[in-house]
Every structure is written in structure tokens, then in C-alpha cells.
Amino acid sequence: MSSDPPKLFTNKPKKALLRNLPQQSLTMETPSLPNTPPPPPPPKPSTDSFARRYRFLWPLLLTVNIGVGAYWFMRTKRDTSVEKAVKVEEIPTHTPTPASATVAVTEPITLKPVIVETPPKPLEPVPENQQRELFKWLLEEKRKIKPKNAEEKKQLDEEKAILKQFIRMKSIQNI
């Protein structure tokens, strides 16, 4: 073979003729046996997109992603506290269980000192003038409240009336 540059055709041959040329040259070079069919043509490359060619993989991929997401979600919700890690289930008394089925969880018992609290000391009585000031303040706060319905208005009016009675009393009971 000589190193000639490729030839440019003045009259360009059709693609079908160019496709048949290599096949003809192969059949001429190799002798064909009588009564043998020609080899099948090579499969045509698919013109579909990647997503359409492998459309059966999309549901599988989606399912796997959801499964992995659910696994990670549940893994982050796991409680790591020791108290909740050991759960003792209550066994109903009416159902007999064999001794081998029950598992005893024992923890070391620590004795804590018992602290006896002294009873609280009675507080000093609140003077009457401070009680009256407190009732007046409560009455002012009740007046600031705006009722939403008739029942609330009725209840507020009753509470205000009681406060007014306490304020008008000559002697107030000790609280």
C-alpha cells in the first residue's frame, strides 16, 4: 500500500453504496460455502434516550432511595438514653409463663440516707392594707380584660363583684 492521501470524489456516492462496499469486499475475500445463509446484519444502535432505554430501572432506583432515606430518618430518631434502652415489659399475672422465659434485670441497690424534713414554719399574716392593695390591683387587672363572649363577661362581672366586696369590708380575713 502506498501512502496516498484520501481521494475526494467529484460525484459523491450514496451512503447505501458505501455500506455495501465493505460487505462485498469481505464476501469476495472469503469463499462462501454453498447453501449457507449470509450472516445477520449487526444490530442497529438505539436512538432512544438513556432514560427511555432503561425505564424499568427508575422504579427500582426510586424504591431504593426511599428505603435508604427511611433508614437514615429512623436511625437519627433512635434514643440513646440508658433509661429508655432497657425496657421492662409488664407480664400479666393471669398468664402463666415458664421460668426460663422471664429474664431478671438486677441493678445494684444503693442505700440513700433518709432526710426528715421539718414542717414549714407558718408565715406571718399579711397586713390588711396590703391585702386591700392587692384586691384593688386584681380589680384593675380584671377591668382590663376584654371578654370574648357572654359567658366570659358574666364570669368576669362575678369576680369583680367579689373583689369589690372584699375591698369594702371593714375587716379582712387573714390569708
Side-chain angles (χ1 to χ4, degrees):
M1 292 190 169
S2 64
S3 62
D4 294 332
K7 295 181 179 178
L8 298 176
F9 297 106
T10 55
N11 297 327
K12 186 176 176 184
K14 304 226 178 206
K15 288 184 180 181
L17 291 174
L18 289 176
R19 286 185 190 150
N20 290 335
L21 286 177
Q23 289 176 356
Q24 290 174 356
S25 63
L26 286 176
T27 54
M28 289 181 195
E29 292 174 6
T30 57
S32 62
L33 298 174
N35 299 331
T36 56
K44 294 182 181 178
S46 178
T47 57
D48 291 340
S49 66
F50 178 79
R52 287 189 185 221
R53 262 185 285 170
Y54 298 105
R55 67 176 169 247
F56 61 89
L57 288 177
W58 292 114
L60 176 69
L61 184 65
L62 190 69
T63 306
V64 169
N65 279 339
I66 289 172
V68 170
Y71 170 76
W72 279 101
F73 179 75
M74 295 306 290
R75 186 171 180 212
T76 57
K77 295 288 182 179
R78 187 182 324 154
D79 194 7
T80 57
S81 67
V82 175
E83 298 167 352
K84 292 186 180 178
V86 177
K87 294 184 180 179
V88 179
E89 296 181 6
E90 294 182 20
I91 301 172
T93 57
H94 66 278
T95 308
T97 57
S100 62
T102 59
V103 177
V105 178
T106 59
E107 295 181 12
I109 299 173
T110 57
L111 298 175
K112 297 179 183 177
V114 177
I115 300 173
V116 178
E117 296 183 16
T118 58
K121 295 180 182 177
L123 298 174
E124 296 178 9
V126 179
E128 278 189 37
N129 60 356
Q130 284 185 356
Q131 286 183 14
R132 285 188 200 279
E133 289 175 13
L134 180 64
F135 289 140
K136 287 179 183 178
W137 177 79
L138 282 171
L139 183 63
E140 289 174 14
E141 293 298 316
K142 295 284 182 184
R143 287 178 178 158
K144 291 178 184 178
I145 297 173
K146 295 183 179 178
K148 295 179 182 175
N149 53 29
E151 292 177 14
E152 281 189 28
K153 183 173 174 42
K154 185 178 177 182
Q155 185 180 3
L156 278 173
D157 289 341
E158 290 174 1
E159 291 173 358
K160 285 190 244 179
I162 293 171
L163 286 172
K164 287 178 186 177
Q165 285 178 357
F166 278 124
I167 293 171
R168 291 181 191 144
M169 291 174 72
K170 291 181 182 176
S171 64
I172 301 174
Q173 298 174 356
N174 290 336
I175 300 176

